[in-house]
Amino acid sequence: MRISTLTMYNQSVTSINRQQGDFLKIGQQIATGRRLLTPADDPQAATKALGVAQSKAVAEQYGDARVGARSALTQQESVLNSISDALVRTKSLMVQAANATLSDADRASIASEMRGVMEMVLGQANATDGNGHYLFGGYRDNSPPFVRDVSGSVVYVGDSNDRQVRIDASRLMEAADSGDGVFLAIQSGAGYVAEADAANSGSATFVGPRVVDSSDPGFGAAYDISFSVVGTDTSYSINGGPPVTYQPGVAVTFGGLSMTFEGVPADGDSLTVDKASQMNTNLFATFEKVIATLETPAQTDAQKASLANTISTSMREFDNSFDNILTVRASSGARLNELDALDLVEENRILNYQQTLSELVDLDYVEAISDYTLRQVGLQAAQKTFVDINKLSLFNLL
């Protein structure tokens, strides 16, 4: 069979081009460190690598979300720590205010300091996270969650939902607690609180209530205690029940609770006893009530009794708010620990993704350099062959 000169030239050029292409590809792989330059190099591996890369990108996004959640929780914990210290100081001031030897001026001085503590707590309740978002505003975090209404009382205008962040495929975490859950709520097991009617005109004071029998059938119910004075006889009734002779200093038991009364009640005086969660749970309302009471002169026995009862009730309310804030702080710490654990898991997961990607797309340099040398020899051989074929001419033999 006769092979034309043109055929030999075309085959030689094709061979050289193929060798040059392979040589160039190996050079690009070595330069980039990647085995897969295009999906055509290994379609199956390219498909797997795309899926792994997407999973890795999602994991990194969750990592960024955890950074934001950690920042918010760290700031929240710091704010709650400051508020806890403020409440410790408040309780100390309350103990001072309960001293019967203080004058009206002394109590007014305590009220002034307590007002300063309240303003500090209010400022902390309106703290931001550094990006202009209010920590305790829930999802309505673009404006202060606690403001004063027309009467001067502090009210909550934020959102009632805790702001959540997805920190993992299967975990939606509260990155910040809403203000009403921190400052306007207490724990469900806070017990009972008693509060005297503001219209009371007698000098009766109370201690308690305290739980003596939680298995009592009436435990958990609300109670109204009313006093009646007829002539020289003073009695009380509970929830409109039969009257019982009033005896100062003698414990009164009802519904698994016990209270002790002192002083002389007036006809029609009353007080309410209920679960703390059904009474005042607003920390700022407690501040306002105590400050107003301390700023009111207490000269008569009735005024002194009102002062003592308000302090007794408010002390319990402050204790309940303090316990709630400590619980939220503990929850914040637990969530921070969870973030640390998830970070460790995610680091291992991302490392596995990186190893898988490396196996799929990264270049084996030892193999590549060997192949590079082989391709170089092949190209040189093709070029040498072309030169030799180019010399095959009858004119060279004449």
Side-chain angles (χ1 to χ4, degrees):
M1 181 180 67
R2 178 180 177 274
I3 299 176
S4 67
T5 302
L6 178 60
T7 300
M8 290 188 295
Y9 270 89
N10 288 339
Q11 289 182 344
S12 297
V13 170
T14 300
S15 178
I16 290 173
N17 288 338
R18 184 176 63 255
Q19 293 291 344
Q20 284 179 332
D22 292 342
F23 184 67
L24 178 61
K25 180 179 178 180
I26 293 296
Q28 290 177 330
Q29 288 176 332
I30 292 175
T32 60
R34 296 175 63 85
R35 181 177 67 88
L36 300 182
L37 299 176
T38 65
D41 294 337
D42 189 339
Q44 186 176 6
T47 302
K48 290 182 179 179
L50 179 61
V52 173
Q54 289 176 339
S55 299
K56 179 173 175 288
V58 170
E60 290 172 345
Q61 286 296 317
Y62 286 138
D64 293 339
R66 286 194 298 275
V67 170
R70 178 179 287 102
S71 176
L73 285 171
T74 300
Q75 293 186 61
Q76 174 174 293
E77 201 282 332
S78 177
V79 168
L80 294 180
N81 181 52
S82 298
I83 294 175
S84 298
D85 292 341
L87 289 181
V88 171
R89 177 56 184 163
T90 298
K91 292 171 68 176
S92 176
L93 291 173
M94 293 287 288
V95 172
Q96 294 179 34
N99 190 334
T101 64
L102 295 181
S103 65
D104 290 340
D106 293 333
R107 285 188 289 271
S109 177
I110 294 174
S112 177
E113 184 176 352
M114 190 170 292
R115 186 178 297 277
V117 174
M118 175 185 171
E119 292 300 327
M120 189 278 285
V121 173
L122 178 59
Q124 293 293 319
N126 286 329
T128 61
D129 61 3
N131 295 319
H133 301 294
Y134 289 87
L135 283 174
F136 302 106
Y139 287 105
R140 191 179 299 166
D141 58 0
N142 58 347
S143 60
F146 291 94
V147 299
R148 295 187 183 277
D149 60 14
V150 293
S151 67
S153 299
V154 176
V155 295
Y156 182 69
V157 296
D159 184 71
S160 61
N161 297 306
D162 297 335
R163 192 163 68 249
Q164 296 180 320
V165 176
R166 185 163 294 281
I167 58 172
D168 195 57
S170 59
R171 180 67 167 99
L172 195 63
M173 174 179 284
E174 293 77 15
D177 293 272
S178 64
D180 59 349
V182 178
F183 303 98
L184 310 182
I186 60 174
Q187 297 301 300
S188 58
Y192 272 81
V193 170
E195 186 164 17
D197 192 303
N200 288 356
S201 58
S203 62
T205 60
F206 60 83
V207 177
R210 63 186 183 89
V211 178
V212 294
D213 184 10
S214 59
S215 63
D216 188 285
F219 185 79
Y223 296 93
D224 290 319
I225 302 177
S226 302
F227 292 91
S228 176
V229 179
V230 179
T232 58
D233 297 329
T234 302
S235 62
Y236 66 87
S237 62
I238 300 176
N239 285 352
V244 180
T245 301
Y246 170 68
Q247 295 178 302
V250 177
V252 177
T253 58
F254 52 93
L257 306 175
S258 175
M259 294 186 68
T260 303
F261 294 92
E262 297 286 355
V264 180
D267 185 47
D269 283 0
S270 64
L271 72 153
T272 301
V273 181
D274 200 352
K275 295 176 67 175
S277 57
Q278 302 301 317
M279 301 288 278
N280 172 45
T281 60
N282 186 328
L283 175 60
F284 296 106
T286 304
F287 268 113
E288 292 165 353
K289 176 174 61 178
V290 171
I291 292 171
T293 300
L294 293 178
E295 290 176 340
T296 301
Q299 299 297 325
T300 66
D301 289 342
Q303 291 172 335
K304 291 178 181 179
S306 176
L307 171 66
N309 290 334
T310 299
I311 290 177
S312 175
T313 299
S314 299
M315 281 286 283
R316 290 206 171 205
E317 292 174 349
F318 277 128
D319 285 340
N320 293 335
S321 295
F322 184 64
D323 290 342
N324 186 64
I325 288 174
L326 290 181
T327 301
V328 176
R329 282 188 64 189
S331 175
S332 299
R335 280 173 277 173
L336 286 170
N337 289 336
E338 183 181 353
L339 287 172
D340 291 338
L342 283 175
D343 278 344
L344 182 59
V345 172
E346 204 64 38
E347 286 175 4
N348 294 331
R349 186 179 300 167
I350 290 177
L351 180 60
N352 290 333
Y353 288 148
Q354 290 172 337
Q355 290 175 343
T356 303
L357 279 174
S358 178
E359 293 171 358
L360 291 171
V361 303
D362 285 352
L363 185 67
D364 183 343
Y365 274 97
V366 174
E367 181 181 353
I369 291 173
S370 299
D371 200 13
Y372 179 83
T373 304
L374 180 61
R375 296 297 180 185
Q376 186 178 39
V377 171
L379 176 59
Q380 291 172 347
Q383 291 171 338
K384 183 66 170 63
T385 301
F386 179 75
V387 172
D388 291 341
I389 291 175
N390 187 39
K391 294 178 181 179
L392 296 178
S393 175
L394 289 176
F395 293 100
N396 292 333
L397 302 176
L398 297 178

